[in-house]
Amino acid sequence: MDSATSDARTPLGASADNGLKIVVVGGFGVGKTTMVRSVSEIRPLNTEETMTQAGEAVDDISEVRGKTATTVAFDFGRISLDAHNVLYLFGAPGQERFWFLWDRLFSGTLGAVVLVDTRRIDDSWYAIDRLEHHGTPFIVACNDFGGPRHSPEALRDALDLDPRVPLVACDARSRESSKQVLIALVEHLQSYYAERAALPRQEFV
C-alpha cells in the first residue's frame, strides 16, 4: 500500500519526560510500514529494500503482487501524546525469515498493534501468539484493503481473540485513522495496567 500522507511534519519540541515504546506487528504486506509513515510526526526511519525475484523463492507474494519493497529490520517513527509523553513506534518485518527479530523488538515494549489483512487471517496468528507468549498487551486493527466485510464476531472467532482485546477497523494510509488506532491502544493500556496495579501483591517466602 502506498502512503497517502503529506511530507509536512510537526516540528519536535523539547525532549519528553516519558518515551513509550509501541510495536506494530502483523503478516507480510499488511501495511505496517504504511501505518508508521502515516502517523509519525518525524520523517520515519525505515529499512525497506527492493524485492527481487530471488526473494520470491522464500516469501509468499501471491496475495501482495503489487508490493515492490519490504522491511528487512524495522520501521521507526514518533508521535507526541502531550508535552511530557511520546510514543516511539517500531514496525516489525512481516516475512517469516525475519521473525527472529521480533523477540528483540518486543523487549521494553509497553504494548502492540497487530495489523490484520482480513483476506489473510492466518498470517496474523503468529504475531498474536508471540505477544501472548511475552505477556505484551495488544489490540487488533483490521486494515482496509477493500475486501469482503466481516462482522466483528466473525473476526474475533477467526483470530481466537480474548474478549478483552480491542478490535478496531482502520485505513493505514490515513493519518487520522492510524491516530485513532494508537488512541485505542493507549486507552487499552491504561485499563490493562490499572487492573494489574489493583491486583493484590504476591508475597514470596
Side-chain angles (χ1 to χ4, degrees):
M1 295 176 62
D2 294 327
S3 175
T5 60
S6 166
D7 286 336
R9 302 287 177 179
T10 303
L12 292 179
S15 297
D17 298 325
N18 300 305
L20 312 173
K21 181 180 177 182
I22 299 298
V23 175
V24 182
V25 294
F28 181 41
V30 297
K32 299 179 296 296
T33 296
T34 299
M35 174 170 280
V36 173
R37 283 178 177 169
S38 72
V39 78
S40 177
E41 64 192 15
I42 62 172
R43 185 177 296 277
L45 166 69
N46 62 66
T47 56
E48 280 200 318
E49 296 293 339
T50 301
M51 296 178 65
T52 64
Q53 288 184 336
E56 294 182 16
V58 290
D59 298 327
D60 181 6
I61 64 169
S62 59
E63 299 292 338
V64 287
R65 289 293 181 184
K67 192 170 176 61
T68 59
T70 186
T71 300
V72 296
F74 61 85
D75 304 303
F76 173 77
R78 165 180 163 150
I79 183 169
S80 298
L81 295 177
D82 52 40
H84 303 287
N85 300 283
V86 296
L87 293 181
Y88 294 116
L89 308 176
F90 291 82
Q95 304 99 304
E96 185 174 352
R97 58 195 167 112
F98 295 127
W99 284 353
F100 70 93
L101 295 171
W102 286 19
D103 288 347
R104 293 185 180 182
L105 279 178
F106 291 164
S107 178
T109 296
L110 187 68
V113 174
V114 178
L115 201 57
V116 173
D117 178 350
T118 56
R119 303 169 302 174
R120 298 180 285 130
I121 290 290
D122 292 4
D123 292 353
S124 309
W125 290 344
Y126 182 80
I128 292 173
D129 177 73
R130 295 312 300 165
L131 289 168
E132 290 179 340
H133 174 77
H134 281 269
T136 303
F138 64 93
I139 69 168
V140 173
C142 296
N143 197 8
D144 182 10
F145 283 90
R149 298 287 182 177
H150 303 281
S151 69
E153 294 77 15
L155 289 171
R156 284 187 172 279
D157 185 60
L159 293 167
D160 193 24
L161 277 187
D162 186 292
R164 294 169 294 183
V165 175
L167 175 68
V168 299
C170 74
D171 181 345
R173 298 167 299 181
S174 164
R175 179 175 176 82
E176 185 57 34
S177 182
S178 295
K179 283 175 63 177
Q180 292 304 312
V181 170
L182 296 180
I183 289 171
L185 174 61
V186 170
E187 290 175 344
H188 176 57
L189 294 178
Q190 288 175 334
S191 298
Y192 175 86
Y193 287 109
E195 289 176 4
R196 286 175 61 93
L199 293 175
R201 296 191 177 186
Q202 293 183 346
E203 294 186 3
F204 297 93
V205 179

